[in-house]
Amino acid sequence: SEVQIRLIRGMLAKSGEALFELSTAVDLASGLNLLADSVFDAILLDLTLPDSFGIESCQQVNSAAPNIPIVVLTGVDDEDLAVATLQHGAQDYLIKGEIGNHLLARSIRYAVERKKSELALQTAYDEMELQVEQRTAELRQLQEEASLRQDELAHASRLNTLGEMASGLAHELNQPLMAIIGFTDYSLHMLRSDRQDPNLIAESLEDAAREAKRAGEIIKR
């Protein structure tokens, strides 16, 4: 609504943390059109729109703009819905009336930085996968040539083994790295929420530490 839009503009203007330029849409269809026509650093999403409600809104926005961080700002105080939105691309879930000027601004800024980190990690992983695929293709070519050149068989075999090790290492490392990202993001979410649970945060950080040690053991082996 226009009232909510004015409130958000006022909160961002009073935050004092950064300058924000806000474009608004009163329903999901208009918002998707905005995303198609313009470039944005972040998306503030209400889950109770005239033409969409709940997780469907988050799914459609994330599908239309997968590289733009989403901060859900809604009046729906539902923990299950909050978890579902985080699983479908949202970086944070904020409840209207429970946030201040600085929290909203910081949440947007942190969401942008986290999304940049996720995209950078995914790019690095994709590049590693591509390098492994390229290396594996080269090794296959060497194996074909080795069948015609018996004296090169041992050399080609060693290269093939190296390619398999590289592919296996990439696969093994990806699991603990993705787990670390998940546990630390969850810890940050809990720290910023009004329902902080020290035990859950501690468990999540312990899980992240365990996955880091696991990655170290993989590299050592």
Side-chain angles (χ1 to χ4, degrees):
S1 67
E2 290 298 328
V3 173
Q4 291 291 339
I5 291 173
R6 286 197 298 270
L7 287 174
I8 293 171
R9 287 186 186 276
M11 292 173 70
L12 293 177
K14 294 175 182 177
S15 67
E17 294 192 23
L19 296 176
F20 293 91
E21 182 178 344
L22 191 65
S23 297
T24 62
V26 295
D27 53 40
L28 181 63
S30 301
L32 295 177
N33 289 334
L34 272 178
L35 292 174
D37 296 335
S38 305
V39 177
F40 296 94
D41 294 318
I43 299 169
L44 275 177
L45 176 64
D46 194 332
L47 299 183
T48 54
L49 298 170
D51 54 349
S52 181
F53 180 83
I55 191 63
E56 176 187 349
S57 302
C58 189
Q59 291 174 323
Q60 292 194 51
V61 171
N62 187 51
S63 177
N67 293 333
I68 303 178
I70 301 171
V71 174
V72 173
L73 180 59
T74 181
V76 181
D77 189 357
D78 185 325
E79 185 173 348
D80 291 336
L81 180 59
V83 172
T85 60
L86 296 176
Q87 292 173 341
H88 287 83
Q91 293 287 329
D92 206 348
Y93 188 97
L94 305 177
I95 307 298
K96 295 176 183 177
E98 297 183 5
I99 59 172
N101 305 333
H102 296 289
L103 176 59
L104 178 59
R106 283 198 300 269
S107 178
I108 294 172
R109 180 160 53 85
Y110 291 165
V112 171
E113 293 303 318
R114 282 198 305 273
K115 194 65 175 183
K116 287 180 180 178
S117 298
E118 289 178 6
L119 293 175
L121 181 60
Q122 185 61 48
T123 298
Y125 175 73
D126 292 342
E127 290 176 352
M128 182 172 62
E129 283 287 315
L130 179 59
Q131 290 173 1
V132 171
E133 290 176 3
Q134 292 172 342
R135 188 57 175 163
T136 302
E138 292 171 2
L139 294 175
R140 290 197 185 102
Q141 181 62 36
L142 287 173
Q143 286 179 316
E144 293 174 0
E145 294 176 358
S147 65
L148 302 175
R149 302 176 178 86
Q150 188 65 30
D151 59 332
E152 297 179 0
L153 180 59
H155 178 61
S157 178
R158 288 194 296 271
L159 290 176
N160 182 58
T161 301
L162 176 62
E164 292 176 354
M165 289 175 60
S167 179
L169 178 62
H171 177 73
E172 284 193 66
L173 280 177
N174 181 58
Q175 295 179 6
L177 289 176
M178 293 300 101
I180 290 170
I181 291 175
F183 288 133
T184 51
D185 275 356
Y186 176 75
S187 300
L188 289 172
H189 174 71
M190 288 292 295
L191 287 170
R192 287 193 301 269
S193 71
D194 292 331
R195 298 184 298 275
Q196 294 183 10
D197 187 329
N199 291 328
L200 289 178
I201 295 172
E203 289 177 4
S204 182
L205 292 176
E206 288 171 355
D207 289 337
R210 185 187 66 249
E211 292 297 328
K213 292 178 181 177
R214 176 185 168 196
E217 289 298 325
I218 292 172
I219 295 172
K220 181 179 179 180
R221 183 176 74 249

